[in-house]
């Protein structure tokens, strides 16, 4: 059932070139803007350039944001069009439906991560101390987190506009407090406490570990496991929001 749902979603994506372009091109283009902004900034000897430091973490943040938007709107269309109601009258279970969506968009996120990392390291000369495969892995896990939170957010929206409105509530606080704009140790104590429970914080830490260590570290794996665990929890909560009848 999960595989069948994933196949249906992937077939829908194949016939939606605008969504494909958004997933595959937008992260690379946004990363290119950052490259143009910072490429000529002087770098002190022995220090990492601003683009290498920030651009690496953006390889996890951009997929998270894009997949949140795409998934929340896609699931909302399923709800409002009645497709979801028809699917739930079949033997298809709620978890199978949600994990089918997660699988489909997870595969799309894998392609997205590979394309973005390839562009970043070749066109924009992004330098990473660790393995690029680990960067792709963390980017995919972060994208799946965006998928899971997007599926959950769609349950509380009645229109595509409302789905987009959840972005400032769910995405921006995590971006502000993840340690990218201000080091977490310099934040007020209560802000650090809030940051500690936000999954994007751990995704950024995992990417920073890859950026400064040539080998995979225990902290990197622990941070990645936290992000994956939150994604699984969000998918389980999203399954509980599915109703058999459209209101």
């Amino acid at each position: 059932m999960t595989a069948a749902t994933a196949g249906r979603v992937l077939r829908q994506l194949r016939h939606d070139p605008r969504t494909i372009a958004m997933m595959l091109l937008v992260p690379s283009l946004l990363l290119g803007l950052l490259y143009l902004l910072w490429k000529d900034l002087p770098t002190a000897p022995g220090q990492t350039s601003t683009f290498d430091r920030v651009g690496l973490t953006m390889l996890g943040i951009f997929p998270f944001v894009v997949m949140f938007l795409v998934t929340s709107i896609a699931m909302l269309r399923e709800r409002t069009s009645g497709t979801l109601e028809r699917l739930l009258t079949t033997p298809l279970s709620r978890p199978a439906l949600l994990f089918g969506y997660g699988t489909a968009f997870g595969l799309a996120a894998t392609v997205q991560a590979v394309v973005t990392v390839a562009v970043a390291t070749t066109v924009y000369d992004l330098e990473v101390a660790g393995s690029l495969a680990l960067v792709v892995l963390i980017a995919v896990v972060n994208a799946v987190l965006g998928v899971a939170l997007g599926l959950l957010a769609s349950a509380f929206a009645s229109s595509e506009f409302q789905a987009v409105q959840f972005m400032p509530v769910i995405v921006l606080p995590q971006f502000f407090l993840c340690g990218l704009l201000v080091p977490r140790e310099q934040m007020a104590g209560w802000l650090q406490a809030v940051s500690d429970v936000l999954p994007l914080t751990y995704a950024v830490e995992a990417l920073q570990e890859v950026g400064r260590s040539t080998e995979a570290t225990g902290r990197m794996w622990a941070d990645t496991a936290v992000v994956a665990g939150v994604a699984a929890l969000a998918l389980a909560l999203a399954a509980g929001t599915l109703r058999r009848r459209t209101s």
Side-chain angles (χ1 to χ4, degrees):
M1 289 293 186
T2 299
T5 301
R8 181 180 65 84
V9 174
L10 289 173
R11 287 192 296 271
Q12 290 177 337
L13 282 177
R14 187 180 62 184
H15 298 293
D16 190 350
R18 287 178 295 183
T19 299
I20 293 175
M22 181 177 180
M23 289 191 297
L24 298 185
L25 300 181
V26 168
S28 296
L29 293 175
L30 292 176
L31 201 62
L33 289 177
L34 295 180
Y35 172 72
L36 293 175
L37 284 173
W38 290 325
K39 69 173 184 175
D40 295 326
L41 290 180
T43 303
Q47 291 188 353
T48 304
S49 70
T50 301
F51 177 73
D52 287 344
R53 177 173 55 84
V54 179
L56 175 60
T57 57
M58 286 299 178
L59 290 176
I61 293 175
F62 286 153
F64 170 74
V65 175
V66 171
M67 298 309 290
F68 176 86
L69 287 173
V70 170
T71 309
S72 59
I73 292 175
M75 176 53 77
L76 183 64
R77 288 177 179 173
E78 297 275 67
R79 291 177 185 269
T80 56
S81 66
T83 301
L84 181 60
E85 182 176 329
R86 292 192 295 272
L87 286 172
L88 291 177
T89 61
T90 69
L92 179 66
S93 66
R94 292 176 174 86
L97 175 65
L98 268 297
F99 279 96
Y101 266 87
T103 300
F105 283 109
L107 292 173
T110 302
V111 178
Q112 178 194 64
V114 170
V115 170
T116 307
V117 171
V119 172
T121 54
T122 56
V123 179
Y124 306 140
D125 297 322
L126 180 70
E127 296 183 0
V128 181
S131 169
L132 293 180
L134 293 175
V135 177
V136 171
L137 172 64
I138 297 169
V140 170
V141 172
N142 218 33
V144 173
L145 173 65
V147 170
L149 293 178
L151 291 173
L152 181 59
S154 69
F156 304 98
S158 58
S159 67
E160 293 183 12
F161 179 68
Q162 288 185 4
V164 174
Q165 285 179 319
F166 276 102
M167 181 177 170
V169 177
I170 297 176
V171 175
L172 291 185
Q174 297 194 62
F175 177 74
F176 293 153
L177 298 178
C178 69
L180 180 62
L181 302 181
V182 177
R184 296 178 63 242
E185 58 270 15
Q186 297 180 12
M187 297 179 184
W190 68 274
L191 286 177
Q192 290 186 40
V194 174
S195 177
D196 287 340
V197 299
L198 299 178
L200 195 60
T201 299
Y202 298 92
V204 169
E205 285 184 351
L207 286 168
Q208 289 173 343
E209 284 290 300
V210 177
R212 57 176 168 251
S213 175
T214 57
E215 300 292 335
T217 64
R219 183 176 180 180
M220 185 218 76
W221 287 118
D223 288 337
T224 305
V226 169
V227 178
V230 173
L233 176 62
L235 282 174
L237 292 174
T241 67
L242 295 181
R243 299 181 298 273
R244 286 194 175 275
R245 296 192 61 83
T246 302
S247 59

